[in-house]
Structures are given as C-alpha cells and as structure tokens.
C-alpha cells in the first residue's frame, strides 16, 4: 500500500526480537552499468501512478492479518490521511485488539500486553517516516540520499537494490523489480518495544485502484516470523477526520 503502516514495518502482534536472516538473496553478476537511483525512482513512480497521487487525500483499507506458522488470522482496518496521520486497528483471536497510529506529531500504540503507550526514540522515528502519506514515494522531503547498490534476486524477484538514507537517520535497502519497476521489497531494522531486529518486507499482488497500482499482499518477516496482510478493499478520498482521533487512553497520555 502507500505510506503509513502499509509501506512501513508492520508488527501488530509481539514476535521475538532476535534477528534472523532477512531473506533469500543472491547477487546477479552483470557487465551492464547499474541504473541511477533517480532513474529507478522515476520508473517506479510511473509504474504505480504517482502523477495522480497528489490528488489523493486519504485511504481506507480493509483486509486480514495472518501469522501462518501460528495458525492465526485476524481482521485489519487502516485509515491514512495527509500529511501524516494514520490509525491501524487489528483484531486477533485469542490475543485481542491492537491499535496503533500517528497523530501528525506523536506515534502511539495500544495492545493487550503493553497497554497504552507513546512511542519514543527509534520507534518514534520509524513511526514518523512510515506515517507520512508520501513516504513510499521516497520524496526529497523525507530522504537525504539514494544510491543503487547492486542487481540482485530477493525472495524470487529480480531487482535493483537501492540504499536509502532517511532524514531521520534511518537506512533502508529498497528493491525495485527489473521487469515492472515496482517496489517489491525493503530490508530494514525494525524497532519495537522489545528492541531492534532485522526485517524484510515483501510487496506483492499489485492491483489497480483508480489510477494507482498498489500492493494487496504485504509480508513482514521479523525474527523469522511472517506476518501477512491481505487487502480486500481500498477506498480513496473517503476518510473523515474523526477516524484519526486517538483513543481516550492515548489522549490522556498526550495531555498529561
């Protein structure tokens, strides 16, 4: 999906923070010069319909969250709005409801294990970047530099890996498909309350929504555990401001 949680690191259920190999990855030897990161970014923008994205003010996505190895499937709903507001609500059987969001200034989380809390430190920086409505476009507002590193194969996708340095100091390794130009993967450090861990995010099953092409299957692998989001519907420009209001326990923390 786009900015906020869908193009960021999604970890709505606690998983082990111990790092594991992020992905099956093989470098592809070639005598052809690597394309510049700016060229890859422009191709990606064209492939996903970025020219019309400025006309989109909000996104409302509904789908499922699954952890296949644990046999868990839950429901998921996400609201995203310009410039950087987001709310995500997941309902997981035998675990409960998990809500996360970004108010435009503050990242927050409410879950059965940790209760209500405001995000700080590296978690807050990650939430800030993920919540920006245009974060998936890697705009100059958010990015310090982008450098093409290699041509590689990531989880079966032949792609160009690009090192991205964010203005918050974070670094990601983004992979753009050789054939379609679309973003198919991102390797990054995922920050959670349990600590940092290497994470792999795979974006698949792109579908057309208006003039946009968006992934409808997003797999996040942290600590060797896959969390799979499957989107069933995406609605453009139909989110009310009230959807972004933080829950009372979070408003109390912010006000306090």
């Amino acid at each position: 999906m786009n900015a906020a949680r869908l193009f960021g690191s999604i970890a709505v259920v606690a998983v082990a923070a111990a790092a594991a190999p992020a992905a099956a990855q093989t470098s592809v030897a070639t005598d052809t010069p690597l394309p510049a990161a700016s060229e890859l970014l422009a191709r990606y923008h064209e492939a996903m319909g970025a020219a019309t994205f400025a006309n989109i003010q909000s996104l409302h996505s509904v789908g499922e969250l699954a952890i296949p190895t644990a046999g868990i499937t839950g429901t998921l709903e996400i609201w995203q709005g310009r410039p950087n507001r987001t709310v995500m609500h997941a309902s997981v059987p035998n675990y409960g409801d998990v809500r996360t969001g970004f108010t435009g200034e503050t990242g927050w989380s409410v879950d059965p294990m940790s209760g209500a809390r405001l995000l700080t430190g590296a978690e807050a920086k990650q939430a800030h970047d993920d919540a920006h409505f245009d974060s998936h476009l890697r705009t100059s507002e958010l990015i310090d530099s982008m450098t093409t590193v290699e041509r590689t194969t990531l989880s079966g996708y032949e792609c160009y890996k690009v090192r991205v340095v964010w203005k918050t100091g974070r670094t990601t390794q983004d992979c753009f498909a050789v054939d379609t130009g679309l973003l198919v993967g991102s390797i990054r450090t995922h920050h959670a309350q349990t600590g940092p861990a290497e994470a792999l995010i795979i974006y698949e099953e792109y579908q057309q929504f208006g003039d946009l092409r968006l992934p409808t299957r997003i797999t996040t692998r942290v600590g060797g555990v896959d969390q799979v989001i499957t989107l069933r519907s995406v609605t453009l420009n139909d989110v009310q401001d009230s959807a972004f209001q933080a829950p009372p326990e979070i408003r109390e923390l912010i006000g306090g």
Side-chain angles (χ1 to χ4, degrees):
M1 251 320 294
N2 89 325
R5 297 300 180 214
L6 291 182
F7 265 93
S9 300
I10 303 170
V12 299
V13 178
V15 295
Q25 185 175 328
T26 305
S27 296
V28 178
T30 176
D31 294 329
T32 305
L34 295 173
S38 57
E39 178 184 334
L40 294 172
L41 190 62
R43 185 170 179 237
Y44 166 53
H45 284 187
E46 182 178 2
M48 61 83 61
T52 64
F53 194 70
N55 298 323
I56 307 301
Q57 299 300 312
S58 67
L59 293 170
H60 178 211
S61 306
V62 178
E64 291 88 44
L65 168 74
I67 304 177
T69 57
I72 292 174
T73 301
T75 60
L76 181 74
E77 193 165 7
I78 302 172
W79 298 264
Q80 300 166 255
R82 290 190 182 277
N84 57 350
R85 295 181 298 168
T86 179
V87 171
M88 181 180 71
H89 180 198
S91 183
V92 183
N94 301 318
Y95 183 79
D97 289 352
V98 178
R99 291 169 290 168
T100 65
F102 196 83
T103 66
E105 296 180 353
T106 304
W108 56 268
S109 176
V110 182
D111 67 71
M113 291 184 64
S114 302
R117 63 190 184 92
L118 303 182
L119 305 186
T120 60
E123 264 193 294
K125 290 181 179 180
Q126 176 179 270
H128 170 276
D129 289 345
D130 289 346
H132 197 288
F133 202 74
D134 293 331
S135 70
H136 66 293
L137 298 180
R138 306 307 194 244
T139 62
S140 58
E141 177 183 357
L142 298 170
I143 303 301
D144 261 341
S145 65
M146 295 180 65
T147 307
T148 308
V149 176
E150 63 178 341
R151 180 168 173 165
T152 187
T153 300
L154 180 71
S155 291
Y157 292 97
E158 193 170 351
C159 57
Y160 293 106
K161 183 193 289 184
V162 175
R163 182 175 185 268
V164 181
V165 179
W166 298 71
K167 289 189 175 179
T168 53
R170 299 170 58 242
T171 299
T172 60
Q173 305 281 343
D174 294 343
C175 291
F176 298 92
V178 172
D179 55 355
T180 66
L182 293 168
L183 178 67
V184 293
S186 183
I187 301 169
R188 58 187 62 188
T189 299
H190 173 73
H191 296 280
Q193 191 176 20
T194 51
E198 188 176 10
L200 165 70
I201 305 173
I202 295 294
Y203 306 106
E204 300 176 290
E205 299 181 13
Y206 276 79
Q207 294 183 21
Q208 201 75 26
F209 298 93
D211 294 325
L212 303 178
R213 290 180 69 190
L214 305 173
T216 61
R217 180 181 173 90
I218 302 101
T219 301
T220 301
R221 182 172 300 157
V222 182
V225 177
D226 284 0
Q227 299 182 54
V228 182
I229 285 176
T230 303
L231 299 181
R232 301 303 181 190
S233 68
V234 178
T235 305
L236 313 180
N237 291 327
D238 191 30
V239 180
Q240 303 298 316
D241 281 347
S242 58
F244 299 112
Q245 186 175 51
E249 57 266 52
I250 293 297
R251 297 201 301 272
E252 184 176 349
L253 290 176
I254 294 174

